Every structure is written in C-alpha cells, then in structure tokens.
Amino acid sequence: RDTARVFGRIAHGAIIRTFAQQDVVEFADFSQLPTINALSNEEHPCQALADLQTLAERWQGALEGRRIAFVGDGNDVCTSLVHAAMMLGISMHVATPKGYELPDEVVDQAADVSQHGAGLTEFTDPKAAVRDVDAVYTDVWTSMGQEVEYAERKRKFSRYQVNDALMGLARPDALFMHCLPAHRGEEVTDEVIES
Ligand code: NVA
C-alpha cells in the first residue's frame, strides 16, 4: 500500500507482472493509477489481446462464429483467452484433466460477457474438444510458481499433448497457438510448433 501510494504521486500508470491478482487490484486501489495486469496467477489479459490481434490478422477480421480449443491447464492464459473470445463472439472448447478446470467464477463470467451467441464448453477429452475447431491453443502444464508440482502435473497432463494426431482432428486449416515459452515434447510436439 505504501509503495502504491508513492507511485501514485510520481507516475502516470503502472504495469505489473506478479503472482496474486489481488496485489494488482490493491495496487490500483491505493495508487489510483491506471494499472495494467501483465500476468498474475489468475489472468493474463495482455496475452489475450495479442492472441486475438494475431487471429484477427490471420482470419482477416472474421472472428465471429469461430471456435478455439484450449487444451491443457485451465490457467491464467486460458482464463483471459476465454474472456476475450467470448466478447468477440468466438466459442471456446476447454479440455483439462479433472481438478484443473477453469474456476467456476470464470465460467460464470464467460456467460456474462458472451456476445453473438459465443459459448464455453468444458471437456475432459482433448479429442472431443478439438473436433472442427479453427485454432488449437495450449500453454505449459506447470506455470510460474507451481514448480514443485512439475512431476505430478507432467503425469496428469500427458494425455493433453498437442501433437499431429490431435491437430488432425481439428479443421484442416486450423492454426496452432501457444503463449510461449513452450516445453517441446510436453504440451506440444516439435512437429506441431514448427508447422
Ligand atoms: N501460464 C504461464 C504463462 C506464461 C506466459 C504462466 O503463468 O507461467
């Protein structure tokens, strides 16, 4: 709070990359500065803006009615992609292992901000989730701060790797997306990321 108040007197805005989302909210409250979340445990909105800008370029602006599958962890990147996609009329299929789903409040928020009939559907089977989608997105299985869970997550997520067989179930022109840095051989194969 003290740091936030001091920054509030000397800066015009702040960009914060941290762990707890609450720290970003509290900084904004106490600094009274426009505060941009550059990644927290819960959300990664700047990543979603960049991803949707990329997709808008690749799809020449035709976003409404598209479908994106997110395969892996229902994490910060997945949350913000769901928020942004819903607002732009893009439906999301999210495939996660049990226990790694999107938080319930994010599922509710998705319904609240959805436009043009976009919907969020949750899956445990990655094959069912990627069927007929226009893009397949994945992220690391172990995010920053979760390193002690690495071995357990690697085991639980092994079925969620994005490989040629999985991409083969999406639309023939489907794009592959990853926020980076990627762990080749874990959440994505070399062949898919180089394709
Ligand atoms: N989910 C990852 C994204 C990194 C850009 C993390 O939070 O570490």
Side-chain angles (χ1 to χ4, degrees), residues 169-180:
L169 300 173
R171 289 174 56 100
D173 55 354
L175 300 172
F176 171 72
M177 301 280 287
H178 194 304
C179 57
L180 301 179

Side-chain angles (χ1 to χ4, degrees), residues 17 39-41 44 47 73 75-77 139-140 142-145 179-181:
R17 172 173 275 215
L39 182 143
S40 69
N41 287 340
H44 199 0
Q47 179 70 48
D73 190 13
N75 64 10
D76 47 0
V77 169
D139 183 11
V140 291
T142 304
S143 284
M144 287 179 263
C179 57
L180 301 179

Side-chain angles (χ1 to χ4, degrees), residues 50 111 119 132 134 148 161 168 183:
D132 276 338
D134 302 286
V148 291
Q161 183 186 68
H183 291 180

Side-chain angles (χ1 to χ4, degrees), residues 15-85:
I15 302 168
I16 305 184
R17 172 173 275 215
T18 186
F19 293 98
Q21 172 77 15
Q22 187 51 35
D23 287 347
V24 182
V25 174
E26 196 164 309
F27 183 93
D29 278 351
F30 285 87
S31 67
Q32 289 292 298
L33 292 176
T35 301
I36 296 172
N37 177 353
L39 182 143
S40 69
N41 287 340
E42 286 88 356
E43 297 186 26
H44 199 0
C46 295
Q47 179 70 48
L49 286 173
D51 291 332
L52 268 303
Q53 187 173 345
T54 297
L55 291 173
E57 284 169 8
R58 297 298 296 253
W59 292 335
Q60 295 171 346
L63 296 172
E64 222 178 285
R66 299 274 185 178
R67 280 189 292 260
I68 303 174
F70 185 100
V71 177
D73 190 13
N75 64 10
D76 47 0
V77 169
C78 183
T79 291
S80 291
L81 188 64
V82 165
H83 287 154

Side-chain angles (χ1 to χ4, degrees), residues 141-156:
W141 294 335
T142 304
S143 284
M144 287 179 263
Q146 299 171 336
E147 289 77 8
V148 291
E149 299 171 28
Y150 176 77
E152 183 190 359
R153 283 173 169 268
K154 198 172 171 192
R155 186 167 42 77
K156 289 187 175 159

